[in-house]
Amino acid sequence: MSRRTTRMLALAAIVAWSTQGAAAHARKATEDDAFASIVSVRQAYASGALTPEGLTQLFLDRIARIDKAGPTINAVLETNPDALAIARKHPKGALGGIPILLKDNIDTGDRMMTSAGSLALTIKPAPRDSEVAARLRKAGAVILGKTNLSEWANMRSNHATSGWTGRGGLTVNPYVLDRNACGSSAGSGAAVAAGLATAAIGSETDGSIICPASMTGLVGIKPTVGLVSRSGIIPISHSQDTAGPMARSVADAAAVLSAIAGSDARDPATVDADKHATDYTRFLDPNALRGKRIGVVRQLAGIEPNADRALEHTIALLKAQGATVVDNVEIPHLKELSEHEIDVLLYEFKHDIAAYLATRPDQPMRTLADLIAFNEREAAKEMPWFGQELFLAAQAKAGLDDPKYIGMRDRNKQLAGPEGIDAALAKDKLDALLAPSWGPAFVNDLVLGDHVVSGDPTVGGVSAPAAIAGYPSITLPVEFAHELPVGVVFFGTKWSEPTLIAIAYGVEQKVKAFRRPTYLPTLPIR
């Protein structure tokens, strides 16, 4: 045996001994660990006080006790049967040993299904990892399971209830159980708020990260379209889709975004991602608000009084911390943005879902028409509460070479981005824009669908300008109203994630608004 081989065996023995020793001296994971930050968990691992296996087992136990029994949040569709085996290997990396849940439209090349909540895609698991899943594994994360969502990411019916799927039923809000968790990343939001994972991945076309994060008291980052790969993610729209992190703090969301951002040859939209992707935790400066210029978009306010109070609280805090607040900033063309957004999405969904299904030779669905037929055959399971009129409308659209589609798509991008958000930022030399969230979570109603509080229907939701432009946005909780979290949304120009993270972190250090849920059955009548 060579000396080099002897040294390698000795080193392996030392590593094995130290790992076993740490595990032997580790304490039992507690509820506090379920809500601990990534930095705190990594420190506990390093000291030997906690192990990845111990934390993973804690979350699996909490999912069984809280999600599937007890309060019954119904946020997790399935857990990863290999999660404990992965954790026992003490994976290394920036997210080494951190348990993370993935929305059930994100492929994992393992024993879990990827179905967008539909029974149509539950025959076999996806054949390979999405780029997001692959990057999480490379960073050492433990992929804990898949979360429930709004079926097909809320792209099946205008009368849908957010967080309901034929496969998983209804996810509820952990703060008040008869309230909605919003969508479409309902399960990701509810699970992290309830301490069922350290963080989760959601996806957004328009509002599907920002709304559920807001209504479950989390930080949600909707990245610039093209910063995070969409390969292996069940799509709606290649012009607006993106995955992003949902976490209990800005620091955790920044750490997860750092792991999943970057270029991917399978997604041409990410060609410039490597030029911009970075370690976003570098921008966690508690003094970041000093000197920032932030514009308040009153066009998106005045809709819900609790949300407006959170906005005013945030404005006062920004000023107190040295930021310049420019009030009543107008985004040009805001009312024009919602005119054709759904039409563009319908065109792209018909094309993009077929392209995705081609990557899943394991199942018989090949086109949107196949999915429509499946829903008709399985109507008792898939359509007991709402139909599939959006599927039908998308099926009726022409191809992506239709001049009508091209004109609407290009017009939307121009009005939302260069002539919208960018123009508003440039006019007053602003770093970011600020608006209230949707307000407290609404009551679940499977019969009539979502009751989202909205004002002028021609303006759309607070997520719409950044979503249509493909620009980043971030939401964070600011306070509570009637036991329900309420937050604000910051958004800016393309690739401005560092600025938005810095601003959100500066606000968070003063409000520290995350609160563990107590699973109230309903709001008390006083």
Side-chain angles (χ1 to χ4, degrees):
M1 184 180 295
S2 69
R3 281 186 289 179
R4 181 175 181 274
T5 302
T6 302
R7 286 197 302 271
M8 291 177 65
L9 290 173
L11 179 60
I14 291 170
V15 170
W17 178 87
S18 63
T19 301
Q20 292 165 2
H25 292 91
R27 56 175 171 76
K28 183 176 176 61
T30 68
E31 180 174 342
D32 287 342
D33 295 315
F35 291 93
S37 69
I38 290 174
V39 168
S40 296
V41 170
R42 296 297 304 280
Q43 289 173 342
Y45 288 167
S47 70
L50 187 65
T51 66
E53 181 182 1
L55 185 59
T56 300
Q57 186 65 63
L58 171 69
F59 285 132
L60 293 173
D61 292 344
R62 287 178 65 82
I63 289 168
R65 178 167 55 86
I66 295 171
D67 196 57
K68 303 307 175 189
T72 316
I73 307 302
N74 207 31
V76 180
L77 274 175
E78 63 179 312
T79 56
N80 186 354
D82 302 314
L84 285 173
I86 295 169
R88 289 187 191 106
K89 295 178 181 177
H90 292 253
K92 307 302 179 187
L95 298 178
I98 300 297
I100 292 180
L101 288 164
L102 273 62
K103 186 176 179 178
D104 182 46
N105 60 351
I106 302 174
D107 285 353
T108 52
D110 50 25
R111 291 191 280 169
M112 292 188 291
M113 298 293 175
T114 304
S115 69
S118 171
L119 296 170
L121 295 183
T122 56
I123 294 176
K124 288 183 179 180
R128 62 181 290 188
D129 273 348
S130 61
E131 180 68 10
V132 165
R135 285 178 177 267
L136 288 171
R137 293 190 205 275
K138 184 177 180 180
V142 177
I143 296 180
L144 186 64
K146 296 289 185 74
T147 58
N148 201 24
L149 65 157
S150 308
E151 187 168 301
W152 296 107
N154 261 341
M155 196 56 183
R156 207 188 82 189
S157 171
N158 286 322
H159 303 287
T161 296
S162 289
W164 185 91
T165 64
R167 182 183 174 200
L170 181 65
T171 295
V172 300
N173 195 304
Y175 289 95
V176 182
L177 300 177
D178 65 358
R179 299 270 164 167
N180 198 266
C182 203
S184 62
S185 305
S188 294
V192 175
L196 307 182
T198 303
I201 304 295
S203 68
E204 173 160 333
T205 305
D206 187 342
S208 289
I209 290 173
I210 298 300
C211 188
S214 174
M215 291 192 181
T216 58
L218 301 181
V219 174
I221 299 178
K222 196 284 290 189
T224 299
V225 171
L227 179 64
V228 176
S229 172
R230 288 86 54 85
S231 65
I233 299 180
I234 299 174
I236 291 177
S237 157
H238 59 267
S239 65
Q240 291 187 203
D241 287 354
T242 182
M246 302 172 73
R248 291 182 293 268
S249 69
V250 176
D252 283 0
V256 175
L257 180 61
S258 302
I260 63 175
S263 299
D264 172 23
R266 288 198 287 162
D267 183 357
T270 64
V271 64
D272 292 325
D274 281 348
K275 299 175 185 177
H276 300 278
T278 186
D279 177 3
Y280 293 100
T281 64
R282 297 190 296 115
F283 305 101
L284 303 176
D285 178 3
N287 299 312
L289 295 176
R290 292 177 186 170
K292 291 289 190 300
R293 292 179 59 82
I294 300 167
V296 181
V297 184
R298 293 284 176 183
Q299 292 162 292
L300 297 170
I303 298 169
E304 203 288 317
N306 297 288
D308 286 345
R309 281 192 290 272
L311 175 66
E312 298 305 328
H313 179 187
T314 304
I315 291 171
L317 187 153
L318 291 169
K319 291 178 178 177
Q321 297 304 309
T324 297
V325 176
V326 180
D327 213 337
N328 205 19
V329 170
E330 290 193 5
I331 299 177
H333 310 293
L334 187 60
K335 289 191 175 185
E336 300 170 58
L337 295 183
S338 60
E339 289 180 5
H340 300 298
E341 181 188 14
I342 187 61
D343 279 325
V344 171
L345 300 185
L346 292 171
Y347 271 98
E348 294 187 354
F349 181 63
K350 180 182 179 180
H351 172 273
D352 294 356
I353 194 63
Y356 170 80
L357 292 172
T359 70
R360 296 284 301 270
D362 50 296
Q363 48 76 41
M365 300 294 125
R366 284 288 169 266
T367 65
L368 179 56
D370 293 337
L371 298 174
I372 291 170
F374 177 90
N375 288 337
E376 290 173 349
R377 290 194 304 271
E378 301 293 336
K381 296 177 181 178
E382 280 290 352
M383 298 194 292
W385 301 109
F386 53 88
Q388 56 178 341
E389 64 272 13
L390 291 179
F391 270 23
L392 295 171
Q395 180 63 22
K397 294 296 184 185
L400 297 187
D401 57 352
D402 187 343
K404 183 180 178 182
Y405 156 73
I406 295 170
M408 290 188 297
R409 179 201 62 193
D410 293 349
R411 177 179 181 272
N412 279 2
K413 288 294 181 187
Q414 184 68 21
L415 294 184
E419 295 184 27
I421 291 173
D422 291 339
L425 293 169
K427 181 176 181 294
D428 292 298
K429 298 181 174 58
L430 302 172
D431 294 294
L433 298 169
L434 166 66
S437 72
W438 287 262
F442 50 91
V443 176
N444 288 314
D445 187 345
L446 284 166
V447 175
L448 300 179
D450 288 348
H451 298 297
V452 180
V453 177
S454 60
D456 185 344
T458 65
V459 171
V462 66
S463 58
I468 297 170
Y471 290 1
S473 54
I474 183 170
T475 186
L476 75 158
V478 172
E479 56 190 50
F480 275 70
H482 310 291
E483 309 301 328
L484 293 162
V486 184
V488 293
V489 180
F490 292 96
F491 56 104
T493 192
K494 192 174 186 178
W495 312 120
S496 64
E497 283 85 356
T499 298
L500 298 180
I501 287 169
I503 290 171
Y505 185 76
V507 172
E508 181 187 56
Q509 299 317 293
K510 299 302 177 183
V511 297
K512 297 188 184 298
F514 178 78
R515 182 191 302 175
R516 297 182 192 183
T518 56
Y519 316 111
L520 293 174
T522 190
L523 286 178
I525 300 175
R526 294 185 175 88

